[in-house]
Amino acid sequence: MRSRTPSRRRLRSTCVALTAAGLLAVPPLTGLASARPAPTVTPPPTPTPTPTQSARPGADAFARLTPAVARQLDEAILGVMKKADVPGVIVSVSAPRKGSYVRAFGVADKATGQRMSTAMNVRIGSETKTFTVTALLELVDQGKLRLDDPIEKYVPGVPNGDKITLRDLAGMRSGLFNYSQDEGFDHVLETDPNHRFTPEELLDYSFKHPVMFEPGTKFFYSNTNLILLGLVVEKVGGLPLDQYIQRHVLAPAGLRHTLFPTGSEFPRPHPQGYTDESADGKVTVSTDWDPSWAWAAGAMISDLPDLRSWARTVATGTLLTPATQAQRLKTEPSGIAGTGYGLGIFDVQGWIGHNGSLPGYETLTIYLPGPQATVVVMLNTDILYDKVIEPSTLFGEAITKIVSPQHVFNLPVPVSATR
């Protein structure tokens, strides 16, 4: 095994960088391939054009997605792919009256040379958190629970459970140790990536560590929080989490190609996933690894049309009352100018949404309220650039520098060595 910081893997997120500064069962869907649009093929690289006025929007504007701006985006995306050695990526940029840019670049399978396609499904990692927290907030709106309820009311045996509230859990301020940083957990997942974890097993990895701080006093990104919230949704909602999310979140949101898997099922078409999160540190294919270890924190799967739709839904609160959505979007200071984390959602330089990373895949789904703009990035690797920076963050920064230069999705602090 290569030398590295223990438990570097697991549901890495932009939010981990905020922490570093002090501050991721429906049946398998069928017929997906035939239901999706034809693949979009990568255009050949083009010279970087001279920036146009349309690519320099004002503070509340967004670039018109003209052919010239599209060429700038092509070049920027291809540059990140080369820089970070990304096999394949799907990108969507859109805004009302500004046009739409949708591209697939590179390969979905390095062995066969199959091209990446905009019709493909990917594992979305920590973007799952936005669905789990939405389910929780729907129960708040129904009067079935309160955000300031202590977790011990629903799940016994949680350290500090009489003090930690559901709000603390959703806002990453519980003080509970992140189970995916535990060395024992790390060993099991590395040696048996198809091990079926239960939520209780995941919590055991966390609870053997001391509480790190008093709830509500600090921000610390911990997947343990979402496992607990998943159990709360199940108990109060009266259904297994996958079924509750399907009936009460995905169906009302009109997301027909998003699912919460109960095993290693992965609807086709999908790209192969490439990771260096293996026991020997070598790049390996992780496509069919069982995502049960991520459960409510990161097990879900989606595709481009659904993520484009979800970006607006989750950021504008379509499924929630205005009062509850306002609580969701209330962010606490993160220690990085222009960034913060609300209830299962972040705000980075005005872009609202979440990212996701688990072995083999990364995604970024963000929404800019002023121009009602959406950016979605989906890629088939989670291997860090220069060992510290998320490739999805590199894509987000490169894209937003062109289309929204007053709102650049960037994080000046590199992602820490812990996912």
Side-chain angles (χ1 to χ4, degrees), residues 260-278:
F260 195 124
T262 57
S264 59
E265 64 266 26
F266 197 166
R268 295 182 181 276
H270 60 251
Q272 300 285 18
Y274 299 94
T275 187
D276 59 357
E277 299 300 344
S278 55

Side-chain angles (χ1 to χ4, degrees), residues 43-300:
T46 55
T48 303
T50 301
T52 61
Q53 183 62 35
S54 62
R56 300 177 182 275
D60 296 320
F62 193 82
R64 187 174 297 279
L65 297 170
T66 63
V69 171
R71 288 193 294 271
Q72 292 181 60
L73 290 169
D74 290 347
E75 186 71 10
I77 292 163
L78 290 166
V80 171
M81 291 183 71
K82 182 177 180 180
K83 176 180 178 180
D85 195 22
V86 173
V89 64
I90 301 165
V91 176
S92 171
V93 185
S94 60
R97 298 178 297 279
K98 300 296 183 178
S100 180
Y101 169 96
V102 181
R103 296 279 199 276
F105 298 84
V107 297
D109 189 327
K110 294 195 288 187
T112 66
Q114 178 189 7
R115 303 297 295 174
M116 202 71 163
S117 161
T118 58
M120 289 182 166
N121 305 281
V122 302
R123 300 190 185 279
I124 65 173
S126 284
E127 287 200 43
T128 301
K129 293 176 172 67
T130 63
F131 294 92
T132 301
V133 173
T134 296
L136 180 84
L137 296 178
E138 287 180 335
L139 291 169
V140 170
D141 278 340
Q142 294 166 23
K144 295 182 178 179
L145 52 77
R146 299 182 306 113
L147 282 171
D148 294 319
D149 286 342
I151 185 59
E152 74 168 10
K153 180 176 180 180
Y154 306 99
V155 182
V158 179
N160 250 8
D162 60 332
K163 299 179 181 178
I164 296 171
T165 67
L166 304 185
R167 187 190 304 276
D168 293 327
L169 295 168
M172 299 295 176
R173 291 176 173 269
S174 71
L176 294 173
F177 184 85
N178 186 356
Y179 70 84
S180 54
Q181 291 179 248
D182 178 81
E183 291 187 15
F185 166 84
D186 195 61
H187 174 74
V188 173
L189 189 55
E190 283 190 339
T191 56
D192 182 13
N194 287 314
H195 178 81
R196 284 297 291 171
F197 290 91
T198 66
E200 292 76 18
E201 186 178 0
L202 298 174
L203 293 178
D204 285 343
Y205 286 114
S206 171
F207 294 169
K208 68 182 183 182
H209 296 269
V211 173
M212 297 181 295
F213 53 83
E214 285 299 300
T217 60
K218 295 181 183 179
F219 176 99
F220 178 78
Y221 191 82
S222 174
N223 295 312
T224 303
N225 297 332
L226 269 292
I227 302 304
L228 287 167
L229 292 183
L231 291 173
V232 172
V233 171
E234 287 195 330
K235 183 171 185 176
V236 178
L239 288 170
L241 182 62
D242 58 287
Q243 293 181 28
Y244 191 91
I245 287 179
Q246 171 61 37
R247 295 185 190 182
H248 298 282
V249 180
L250 302 181
L255 305 184
R256 298 184 298 115
H257 302 280
T258 301
L259 73 152
F260 195 124
T262 57
S264 59
E265 64 266 26
F266 197 166
R268 295 182 181 276
H270 60 251
Q272 300 285 18
Y274 299 94
T275 187
D276 59 357
E277 299 300 344
S278 55
D280 60 7
K282 295 180 180 179
V283 176
T284 188
V285 175
S286 57
T287 310
D288 296 318
W289 288 7
D290 192 312
S292 61
W293 63 270
W295 197 53
M300 291 179 68

Side-chain angles (χ1 to χ4, degrees), residues 59-63 65 92-100 308-309 311-313 315-316 318 350-352 366-376 403-404 407:
D60 296 320
F62 193 82
L65 297 170
S92 171
V93 185
S94 60
R97 298 178 297 279
K98 300 296 183 178
S100 180
R308 287 180 63 176
S309 176
R312 180 182 178 89
T313 297
T316 61
T318 303
W351 287 95
I352 298 170
I366 50 179
Y367 180 83
L368 190 61
Q372 302 175 43
T374 299
V375 171
V376 177
V403 298
S404 59
H407 296 278

Side-chain angles (χ1 to χ4, degrees), residues 12 18 21-22 35 110 164 262 266 304 313 315 343-344 350 362 395 412 416:
R12 236 181 6 227
L18 306 186
K110 294 195 288 187
I164 296 171
T262 57
F266 197 166
L304 180 61
T313 297
L343 301 180
E362 286 199 349
F395 284 112
S416 74

